[in-house]
């Protein structure tokens, strides 16, 4: 069966070229046309990146087109590649009985997760244990959280596969609520303000600001500014794991999401007082989001399912 493309997009000699590609190459080509990104396409079909690169080069030679080109910020499909979408799908449908789906246990794929550092510390070990038994070839990468805006951009660009945070879903980012978040004021248990935390008392002491939680910081400062008030920042730190020791050994006060307050352990027996904020803070729910490009990615879907269950088990009710 031959598949034809408009002459303005393809060299006439390549009009029937899809017939020369076997099912494995067609599957990779289909993923490349969807992702416009070789590494993501390789992960989707369960190929090592070097093999996928060689296969894409074979497709380019057969089709006489580069298929992907530099679009400035990211790679983009050539005009000919865009015209290939429907013919490639038809070719795959015509050879459907020959396709060999890759099982979850056979998937060699990296799944990249973006979330704040403390929840990541809690869920990383049980997530690895469960995935090692069910999908041993999956590689899980936890990425550093640098704020809501950076997180959303990373997911949009395709640099991240799953995001756990307070971002809103969009037309391209799909998500579901995992936990209802609440904010607390954290300080050492014998802090002078621990027994009666009024707004004035809260502002009397230096604040510990966690820079990666930019949305919460902005909400706080906007509310204070509307009342003609301002908090005094004593120290700025990049992550939540640094907070307990600093709070325990000083008069610093921090406003944090409850799920980001590290719990006391035998190794780190720092137990903090967590109080209701002295001004209204409607914390958005914690959501697990992914880009719609991964709607059919079984590996990402499985990791998301396991991660959601672990987050609920380990963090719900804190």
């Amino acid at each position: 069966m031959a598949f034809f493309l408009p002459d303005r997009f393809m060299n006439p000699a390549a009009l029937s070229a899809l017939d020369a590609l076997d099912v494995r190459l067609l599957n990779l080509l289909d993923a490349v046309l969807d992702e416009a990104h070789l590494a993501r396409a390789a992960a989707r079909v369960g190929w090592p990146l070097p093999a996928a690169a060689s296969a894409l080069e074979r497709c380019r030679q057969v089709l006489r087109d580069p298929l992907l080109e530099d679009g400035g910020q990211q790679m983009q499909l050539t005009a000919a590649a865009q015209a290939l979408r429907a013919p490639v799908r038809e070719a795959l449908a015509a050879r459907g009985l020959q396709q060999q789906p890759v099982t979850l246990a056979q998937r060699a794929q990296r799944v990249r997760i973006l979330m704040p550092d403390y929840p990541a510390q809690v869920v990383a070990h049980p997530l690895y244990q469960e995935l090692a038994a069910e999908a041993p070839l999956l590689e899980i990468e936890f990425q550093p959280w640098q704020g809501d805006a950076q997180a959303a951009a990373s997911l949009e660009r395709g640099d991240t596969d799953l995001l756990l945070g307070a971002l809103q879903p969009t037309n391209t980012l799909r998500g579901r609520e995992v936990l209802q978040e609440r904010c607390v004021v954290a300080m050492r248990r014998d802090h002078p303000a621990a027994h009666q935390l009024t707004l004035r008392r809260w502002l009397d002491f230096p604040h510990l600001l966690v820079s990666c939680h930019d949305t919460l910081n902005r909400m706080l400062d906007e509310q204070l500014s509307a009342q003609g008030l301002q908090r005094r920042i004593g120290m700025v730190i990049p992550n939540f794991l640094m907070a307990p020791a600093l709070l325990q050994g000083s008069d610093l006060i921090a406003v944090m999401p409850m799920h980001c307050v590290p719990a006391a352990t035998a190794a780190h027996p720092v137990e903090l007082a967590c109080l209701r904020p002295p001004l209204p803070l409607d914390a958005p729910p914690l959501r697990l989001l992914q880009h719609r490009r991964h709607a059919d990615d079984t590996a990402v879907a499985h990791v998301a399912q396991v991660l959601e269950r672990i987050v609920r088990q380990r963090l719900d009710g804190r």
Side-chain angles (χ1 to χ4, degrees):
M1 179 183 296
F3 301 91
F4 298 96
L5 302 172
D7 287 346
R8 70 179 186 277
F9 291 141
M10 297 292 293
N11 186 298
L15 291 178
S16 303
L18 292 181
D19 288 334
L21 301 179
D22 62 29
V23 171
R24 296 180 75 248
L25 289 178
L26 283 173
N27 272 322
L28 175 68
L29 181 58
D30 182 50
V32 168
L33 297 180
D34 274 351
E35 301 284 352
H37 192 286
L38 179 59
R40 291 199 299 267
R44 181 166 141 181
V45 298
W47 282 33
L49 186 56
S54 297
L56 180 61
E57 185 57 34
R58 168 63 177 161
C59 292
R60 286 168 166 162
Q61 293 173 359
V62 170
L63 298 171
R64 301 184 184 180
D65 188 86
L67 301 175
L68 290 174
E69 59 187 3
D70 190 354
Q73 293 288 339
Q74 57 189 14
M75 299 298 287
Q76 63 184 20
L77 299 178
T78 64
Q82 294 176 33
L84 276 169
R85 288 179 179 274
V88 167
R89 297 272 170 87
E90 292 173 14
L92 283 170
R95 307 187 206 178
L97 294 177
Q98 301 177 42
Q99 296 184 54
Q100 298 294 325
V102 178
T103 67
L104 185 63
Q106 297 171 322
R107 290 293 291 268
Q109 178 174 338
R110 174 178 292 188
V111 179
R112 300 156 299 176
I113 303 172
L114 189 54
M115 59 191 298
D117 57 302
Y118 178 68
Q121 185 189 51
V122 173
V123 305
H125 186 239
L127 180 66
Y128 175 77
Q129 283 186 312
E130 185 160 342
L131 293 177
E134 300 174 347
L137 300 183
L138 289 186
E139 178 182 338
I140 304 301
E141 175 187 347
F142 279 92
Q143 300 175 321
W145 184 273
Q146 297 176 356
D148 289 346
Q150 182 273 344
S154 182
L155 199 56
E156 287 282 8
R157 288 194 307 266
D159 295 335
T160 296
D161 303 311
L162 291 170
L163 187 157
L164 186 71
L167 280 74
Q168 292 279 357
T170 66
N171 290 335
T172 56
L173 304 184
R174 299 172 178 175
R176 55 186 179 272
E177 291 187 12
V178 177
L179 290 177
Q180 178 55 55
E181 186 55 282
R182 62 189 178 98
C183 292
V184 296
V185 179
M187 64 188 77
R188 59 185 170 88
R189 284 197 166 275
D190 58 348
H191 193 286
H195 298 295
Q196 188 177 14
L197 185 65
T198 63
L199 180 58
R200 173 170 290 187
R201 291 288 281 164
W202 182 61
L203 294 175
D204 280 345
F205 293 93
H207 285 229
L208 179 65
L209 189 149
V210 184
S211 60
C212 69
H213 212 300
D214 48 351
T215 298
L216 178 59
N217 294 327
R218 185 173 62 252
M219 289 169 55
L220 274 173
D221 291 336
E222 287 174 352
Q223 286 201 42
L224 290 172
S225 178
Q227 301 179 51
L229 301 172
Q230 185 177 6
R231 54 184 175 151
R232 177 165 58 94
I233 304 301
M235 182 173 284
V236 179
I237 58 176
N239 57 61
F240 293 104
L241 287 174
M242 293 178 65
L246 288 167
L247 294 173
Q248 182 68 17
S250 70
D251 282 343
L252 287 165
I253 292 177
V255 177
M256 303 168 66
M258 188 63 201
H259 78 269
C260 289
V261 178
T265 65
H268 302 282
V270 177
E271 190 172 358
L272 301 172
C274 294
L275 308 176
R276 185 190 301 272
L279 70 173
L281 281 176
D282 295 326
L286 198 63
R287 297 184 178 92
L288 185 61
L289 296 102
Q290 65 185 76
H291 199 281
R292 67 180 182 184
R293 71 169 64 89
H294 293 303
D296 299 322
D297 191 317
T298 57
V300 172
H302 181 73
V303 174
Q305 182 181 22
V306 175
L307 179 61
E308 178 178 357
R309 184 173 67 253
I310 292 173
V311 167
R312 291 183 186 277
Q313 291 172 347
R314 300 297 175 112
L315 298 177
D316 198 6
R318 288 202 63 203

